[in-house]
PDB file of all heavy atoms in Angstrom:
ATOM      1  N   ARG A 165     -18.167 -55.511 -72.925  1.00  0.00           N
ATOM      2  CA  ARG A 165     -17.612 -54.232 -73.220  1.00  0.00           C
ATOM      3  C   ARG A 165     -18.696 -53.136 -73.081  1.00  0.00           C
ATOM      4  O   ARG A 165     -19.802 -53.419 -73.408  1.00  0.00           O
ATOM      5  CB  ARG A 165     -16.996 -54.097 -74.554  1.00  0.00           C
ATOM      6  CG  ARG A 165     -15.728 -55.032 -74.682  1.00  0.00           C
ATOM      7  CD  ARG A 165     -15.206 -54.811 -76.046  1.00  0.00           C
ATOM      8  NE  ARG A 165     -14.368 -55.853 -76.378  1.00  0.00           N
ATOM      9  CZ  ARG A 165     -13.897 -56.189 -77.517  1.00  0.00           C
ATOM     10  NH1 ARG A 165     -14.150 -55.396 -78.532  1.00  0.00           N
ATOM     11  NH2 ARG A 165     -13.063 -57.199 -77.748  1.00  0.00           N
ATOM     12  N   GLU A 166     -18.257 -51.949 -72.806  1.00  0.00           N
ATOM     13  CA  GLU A 166     -19.239 -50.925 -72.776  1.00  0.00           C
ATOM     14  C   GLU A 166     -19.505 -50.498 -74.241  1.00  0.00           C
ATOM     15  O   GLU A 166     -18.640 -50.607 -75.065  1.00  0.00           O
ATOM     16  CB  GLU A 166     -18.723 -49.663 -71.986  1.00  0.00           C
ATOM     17  CG  GLU A 166     -18.675 -49.873 -70.539  1.00  0.00           C
ATOM     18  CD  GLU A 166     -18.230 -48.640 -69.837  1.00  0.00           C
ATOM     19  OE1 GLU A 166     -18.462 -47.536 -70.232  1.00  0.00           O
ATOM     20  OE2 GLU A 166     -17.682 -48.892 -68.684  1.00  0.00           O
ATOM     21  N   LYS A 167     -20.546 -49.972 -74.486  1.00  0.00           N
ATOM     22  CA  LYS A 167     -21.037 -49.563 -75.838  1.00  0.00           C
ATOM     23  C   LYS A 167     -20.167 -48.391 -76.266  1.00  0.00           C
ATOM     24  O   LYS A 167     -20.017 -47.381 -75.576  1.00  0.00           O
ATOM     25  CB  LYS A 167     -22.461 -49.208 -75.819  1.00  0.00           C
ATOM     26  CG  LYS A 167     -22.949 -49.036 -77.306  1.00  0.00           C
ATOM     27  CD  LYS A 167     -24.469 -48.902 -77.303  1.00  0.00           C
ATOM     28  CE  LYS A 167     -24.946 -48.779 -78.761  1.00  0.00           C
ATOM     29  NZ  LYS A 167     -26.363 -48.552 -78.823  1.00  0.00           N
ATOM     30  N   ALA A 168     -19.458 -48.478 -77.479  1.00  0.00           N
ATOM     31  CA  ALA A 168     -18.732 -47.422 -77.996  1.00  0.00           C
ATOM     32  C   ALA A 168     -19.498 -46.263 -78.445  1.00  0.00           C
ATOM     33  O   ALA A 168     -20.725 -46.350 -78.854  1.00  0.00           O
ATOM     34  CB  ALA A 168     -17.828 -47.989 -79.184  1.00  0.00           C
ATOM     35  N   GLU A 169     -18.958 -45.064 -78.253  1.00  0.00           N
ATOM     36  CA  GLU A 169     -19.608 -43.817 -78.715  1.00  0.00           C
ATOM     37  C   GLU A 169     -19.654 -43.877 -80.174  1.00  0.00           C
ATOM     38  O   GLU A 169     -18.778 -44.260 -80.938  1.00  0.00           O
ATOM     39  CB  GLU A 169     -18.803 -42.618 -78.203  1.00  0.00           C
ATOM     40  CG  GLU A 169     -18.819 -42.436 -76.724  1.00  0.00           C
ATOM     41  CD  GLU A 169     -20.238 -42.056 -76.261  1.00  0.00           C
ATOM     42  OE1 GLU A 169     -20.939 -41.354 -76.811  1.00  0.00           O
ATOM     43  OE2 GLU A 169     -20.511 -42.694 -75.112  1.00  0.00           O
ATOM     44  N   PRO A 170     -20.758 -43.297 -80.727  1.00  0.00           N
ATOM     45  CA  PRO A 170     -20.957 -43.274 -82.123  1.00  0.00           C
ATOM     46  C   PRO A 170     -19.911 -42.336 -82.732  1.00  0.00           C
ATOM     47  O   PRO A 170     -19.585 -41.319 -82.175  1.00  0.00           O
ATOM     48  CB  PRO A 170     -22.384 -42.791 -82.413  1.00  0.00           C
ATOM     49  CG  PRO A 170     -22.778 -42.158 -81.083  1.00  0.00           C
ATOM     50  CD  PRO A 170     -21.974 -42.820 -80.048  1.00  0.00           C
ATOM     51  N   ILE A 171     -19.424 -42.659 -84.033  1.00  0.00           N
ATOM     52  CA  ILE A 171     -18.534 -41.783 -84.829  1.00  0.00           C
ATOM     53  C   ILE A 171     -19.365 -40.986 -85.725  1.00  0.00           C
ATOM     54  O   ILE A 171     -19.970 -41.473 -86.678  1.00  0.00           O
ATOM     55  CB  ILE A 171     -17.524 -42.656 -85.536  1.00  0.00           C
ATOM     56  CG1 ILE A 171     -16.755 -43.606 -84.484  1.00  0.00           C
ATOM     57  CG2 ILE A 171     -16.573 -41.830 -86.268  1.00  0.00           C
ATOM     58  CD1 ILE A 171     -15.953 -44.623 -85.227  1.00  0.00           C
ATOM     59  N   ILE A 172     -19.307 -39.684 -85.614  1.00  0.00           N
ATOM     60  CA  ILE A 172     -20.067 -38.764 -86.506  1.00  0.00           C
ATOM     61  C   ILE A 172     -19.045 -38.091 -87.408  1.00  0.00           C
ATOM     62  O   ILE A 172     -18.076 -37.519 -86.966  1.00  0.00           O
ATOM     63  CB  ILE A 172     -20.823 -37.645 -85.581  1.00  0.00           C
ATOM     64  CG1 ILE A 172     -21.554 -38.306 -84.527  1.00  0.00           C
ATOM     65  CG2 ILE A 172     -21.694 -36.852 -86.574  1.00  0.00           C
ATOM     66  CD1 ILE A 172     -22.762 -39.190 -84.977  1.00  0.00           C
ATOM     67  N   ASP A 173     -19.450 -38.205 -88.784  1.00  0.00           N
ATOM     68  CA  ASP A 173     -18.438 -37.496 -89.734  1.00  0.00           C
ATOM     69  C   ASP A 173     -18.760 -36.000 -89.806  1.00  0.00           C
ATOM     70  O   ASP A 173     -19.704 -35.480 -89.107  1.00  0.00           O
ATOM     71  CB  ASP A 173     -18.481 -38.193 -91.066  1.00  0.00           C
ATOM     72  CG  ASP A 173     -19.755 -38.075 -91.876  1.00  0.00           C
ATOM     73  OD1 ASP A 173     -20.669 -37.377 -91.367  1.00  0.00           O
ATOM     74  OD2 ASP A 173     -20.025 -38.772 -92.877  1.00  0.00           O
ATOM     75  N   GLU A 174     -18.003 -35.320 -90.748  1.00  0.00           N
ATOM     76  CA  GLU A 174     -18.149 -33.858 -90.783  1.00  0.00           C
ATOM     77  C   GLU A 174     -19.558 -33.449 -91.321  1.00  0.00           C
ATOM     78  O   GLU A 174     -20.009 -32.339 -91.130  1.00  0.00           O
ATOM     79  CB  GLU A 174     -17.057 -33.240 -91.680  1.00  0.00           C
ATOM     80  CG  GLU A 174     -17.015 -33.906 -93.088  1.00  0.00           C
ATOM     81  CD  GLU A 174     -15.750 -33.566 -93.841  1.00  0.00           C
ATOM     82  OE1 GLU A 174     -14.673 -33.734 -93.333  1.00  0.00           O
ATOM     83  OE2 GLU A 174     -15.922 -33.218 -95.070  1.00  0.00           O
ATOM     84  N   ASP A 175     -20.261 -34.394 -92.046  1.00  0.00           N
ATOM     85  CA  ASP A 175     -21.544 -34.001 -92.589  1.00  0.00           C
ATOM     86  C   ASP A 175     -22.660 -34.326 -91.559  1.00  0.00           C
ATOM     87  O   ASP A 175     -23.797 -33.997 -91.825  1.00  0.00           O
ATOM     88  CB  ASP A 175     -21.860 -34.806 -93.805  1.00  0.00           C
ATOM     89  CG  ASP A 175     -20.950 -34.312 -95.018  1.00  0.00           C
ATOM     90  OD1 ASP A 175     -20.602 -33.135 -95.023  1.00  0.00           O
ATOM     91  OD2 ASP A 175     -20.625 -35.199 -95.725  1.00  0.00           O
ATOM     92  N   GLY A 176     -22.225 -34.896 -90.344  1.00  0.00           N
ATOM     93  CA  GLY A 176     -23.321 -35.156 -89.329  1.00  0.00           C
ATOM     94  C   GLY A 176     -23.847 -36.449 -89.393  1.00  0.00           C
ATOM     95  O   GLY A 176     -24.764 -36.865 -88.623  1.00  0.00           O
ATOM     96  N   PHE A 177     -23.331 -37.398 -90.215  1.00  0.00           N
ATOM     97  CA  PHE A 177     -23.788 -38.759 -90.328  1.00  0.00           C
ATOM     98  C   PHE A 177     -22.974 -39.709 -89.437  1.00  0.00           C
ATOM     99  O   PHE A 177     -21.812 -39.501 -89.300  1.00  0.00           O
ATOM    100  CB  PHE A 177     -23.712 -39.233 -91.879  1.00  0.00           C
ATOM    101  CG  PHE A 177     -24.631 -38.610 -92.771  1.00  0.00           C
ATOM    102  CD1 PHE A 177     -24.277 -37.455 -93.549  1.00  0.00           C
ATOM    103  CD2 PHE A 177     -26.010 -38.967 -92.783  1.00  0.00           C
ATOM    104  CE1 PHE A 177     -25.116 -36.883 -94.331  1.00  0.00           C
ATOM    105  CE2 PHE A 177     -26.890 -38.345 -93.650  1.00  0.00           C
ATOM    106  CZ  PHE A 177     -26.487 -37.315 -94.388  1.00  0.00           C
ATOM    107  N   GLU A 178     -23.772 -40.699 -88.960  1.00  0.00           N
ATOM    108  CA  GLU A 178     -23.042 -41.606 -88.005  1.00  0.00           C
ATOM    109  C   GLU A 178     -22.390 -42.730 -88.871  1.00  0.00           C
ATOM    110  O   GLU A 178     -22.960 -43.287 -89.786  1.00  0.00           O
ATOM    111  CB  GLU A 178     -24.076 -42.300 -87.036  1.00  0.00           C
ATOM    112  CG  GLU A 178     -23.483 -43.299 -86.066  1.00  0.00           C
ATOM    113  CD  GLU A 178     -24.401 -43.909 -85.166  1.00  0.00           C
ATOM    114  OE1 GLU A 178     -25.541 -43.278 -84.928  1.00  0.00           O
ATOM    115  OE2 GLU A 178     -24.158 -44.867 -84.641  1.00  0.00           O
ATOM    116  N   THR A 179     -21.143 -43.034 -88.591  1.00  0.00           N
ATOM    117  CA  THR A 179     -20.398 -44.116 -89.331  1.00  0.00           C
ATOM    118  C   THR A 179     -20.770 -45.363 -88.708  1.00  0.00           C
ATOM    119  O   THR A 179     -20.695 -45.556 -87.425  1.00  0.00           O
ATOM    120  CB  THR A 179     -18.848 -43.860 -89.224  1.00  0.00           C
ATOM    121  OG1 THR A 179     -18.573 -42.555 -89.783  1.00  0.00           O
ATOM    122  CG2 THR A 179     -18.149 -44.907 -90.026  1.00  0.00           C
ATOM    123  N   VAL A 180     -21.130 -46.342 -89.528  1.00  0.00           N
ATOM    124  CA  VAL A 180     -21.550 -47.710 -88.912  1.00  0.00           C
ATOM    125  C   VAL A 180     -20.271 -48.515 -88.934  1.00  0.00           C
ATOM    126  O   VAL A 180     -19.504 -48.651 -89.856  1.00  0.00           O
ATOM    127  CB  VAL A 180     -22.528 -48.383 -89.876  1.00  0.00           C
ATOM    128  CG1 VAL A 180     -22.859 -49.796 -89.414  1.00  0.00           C
ATOM    129  CG2 VAL A 180     -23.799 -47.546 -89.925  1.00  0.00           C
ATOM    130  N   VAL A 181     -20.004 -48.999 -87.723  1.00  0.00           N
ATOM    131  CA  VAL A 181     -18.822 -49.844 -87.501  1.00  0.00           C
ATOM    132  C   VAL A 181     -19.266 -51.264 -87.285  1.00  0.00           C
ATOM    133  O   VAL A 181     -20.086 -51.593 -86.467  1.00  0.00           O
ATOM    134  CB  VAL A 181     -17.971 -49.315 -86.317  1.00  0.00           C
ATOM    135  CG1 VAL A 181     -16.744 -50.249 -86.087  1.00  0.00           C
ATOM    136  CG2 VAL A 181     -17.616 -47.906 -86.446  1.00  0.00           C
ATOM    137  N   LYS A 182     -18.598 -52.178 -88.050  1.00  0.00           N
ATOM    138  CA  LYS A 182     -19.000 -53.620 -87.961  1.00  0.00           C
ATOM    139  C   LYS A 182     -18.400 -54.115 -86.672  1.00  0.00           C
ATOM    140  O   LYS A 182     -17.413 -53.945 -86.242  1.00  0.00           O
ATOM    141  CB  LYS A 182     -18.419 -54.438 -89.122  1.00  0.00           C
ATOM    142  CG  LYS A 182     -18.843 -55.826 -89.101  1.00  0.00           C
ATOM    143  CD  LYS A 182     -18.290 -56.525 -90.346  1.00  0.00           C
ATOM    144  CE  LYS A 182     -18.818 -58.025 -90.350  1.00  0.00           C
ATOM    145  NZ  LYS A 182     -18.353 -58.682 -91.478  1.00  0.00           N
ATOM    146  N   LYS A 183     -19.352 -54.880 -85.930  1.00  0.00           N
ATOM    147  CA  LYS A 183     -18.976 -55.390 -84.658  1.00  0.00           C
ATOM    148  C   LYS A 183     -17.940 -56.568 -84.790  1.00  0.00           C
ATOM    149  O   LYS A 183     -18.085 -57.288 -85.792  1.00  0.00           O
ATOM    150  CB  LYS A 183     -20.199 -55.974 -83.875  1.00  0.00           C
ATOM    151  CG  LYS A 183     -21.174 -54.872 -83.403  1.00  0.00           C
ATOM    152  CD  LYS A 183     -22.318 -55.453 -82.651  1.00  0.00           C
ATOM    153  CE  LYS A 183     -23.187 -54.350 -82.204  1.00  0.00           C
ATOM    154  NZ  LYS A 183     -24.338 -54.909 -81.417  1.00  0.00           N
TER     155      LYS A 183
END
Side-chain angles (χ1 to χ4, degrees):
R165 294 183 198 167
E166 290 184 27
K167 189 173 182 177
E169 291 294 319
I171 302 169
I172 308 295
D173 67 9
E174 60 192 45
D175 295 325
F177 291 98
E178 182 177 340
T179 303
V180 177
V181 179
K182 186 175 179 181
K183 292 182 180 182

